[in-house]
Amino acid sequence: PLMLWAWEQSADLRFLDGRKDVGVAYLAATAFVRDEGVRVQYRGVPMLAPGGMFRMPVLRIEGRGIPGNRKALVELCTRLIRDGRSGALQIDFDVPMKLRPLYEGLIQDLRRNFGTSLYLSMTVLAGWCDNPWFVKMPVNEHVVMLFRMGKAGKGLASRLEREKGFATPACRESLGYSTDERLAPRLDAKRRYWFSPKPWSPLLFASLSR
């Protein structure tokens, strides 16, 4: 029910040993996609976690030149899934409208290759939930990002407070927050993800319950 994002800084989560209700989604690689190809930057800092903790690799995709590079992205995802050994992958891609069909194709390729054995998670910008184009994609989880929401953030946060969540069911199950923002209301959800711009520590983790 509780997932911590371990992003570009070192992470030592061994203080959570024995906590069966907490997992980690760690940035495993960033794919910079250009017309001339895909440049991959793999995680270059340690991520330490208790032996029994669920660990899900995350692929961050940046760029605009997807069309000729879908095969390379499928191959990269396959490597991260196999290296991660958890049967799971999360993709974080603020995909522009014109590339949505190509993103859908990437997801479909992964589902076709791995079947139901793969737990596939995707991050979702909060603004997408008003026009949920993504709900037909064959993923297991949509994680709505309720932080870094830009200029529309205040208005959206007020509306969520008033309406107690999104109308779209897919946007109500998994929600993402950041430790350095208190704009969005703490809504009921099956699973919550927490991002921190600072390294995780026992004190910082304890603050999540406040």
Side-chain angles (χ1 to χ4, degrees), residues 60 91-97 100 103 122-135 137 142-145 156 159 166 168 171:
R60 168 70 180 170
I91 300 180
D92 179 38
F93 185 19
D94 304 339
V95 59
M97 184 177 295
R100 287 176 183 176
Y103 189 23
M122 68 177 287
T123 60
V124 171
L125 297 182
W128 294 352
C129 290
D130 289 331
N131 181 24
W133 58 273
F134 52 86
V135 295
M137 294 172 71
H142 307 91
V143 184
V144 183
M145 315 289 275
L156 179 56
R159 195 183 85 196
F166 293 98
T168 302
C171 292

Side-chain angles (χ1 to χ4, degrees), residues 3-7 25 90 143 145 147 176-177 193-195 200:
M3 293 288 292
L4 305 182
W5 272 305
W7 218 241
Q90 183 175 91
V143 184
M145 315 289 275
F147 61 100
Y177 295 91
Y193 283 76
W194 281 93
F195 171 83
W200 288 104

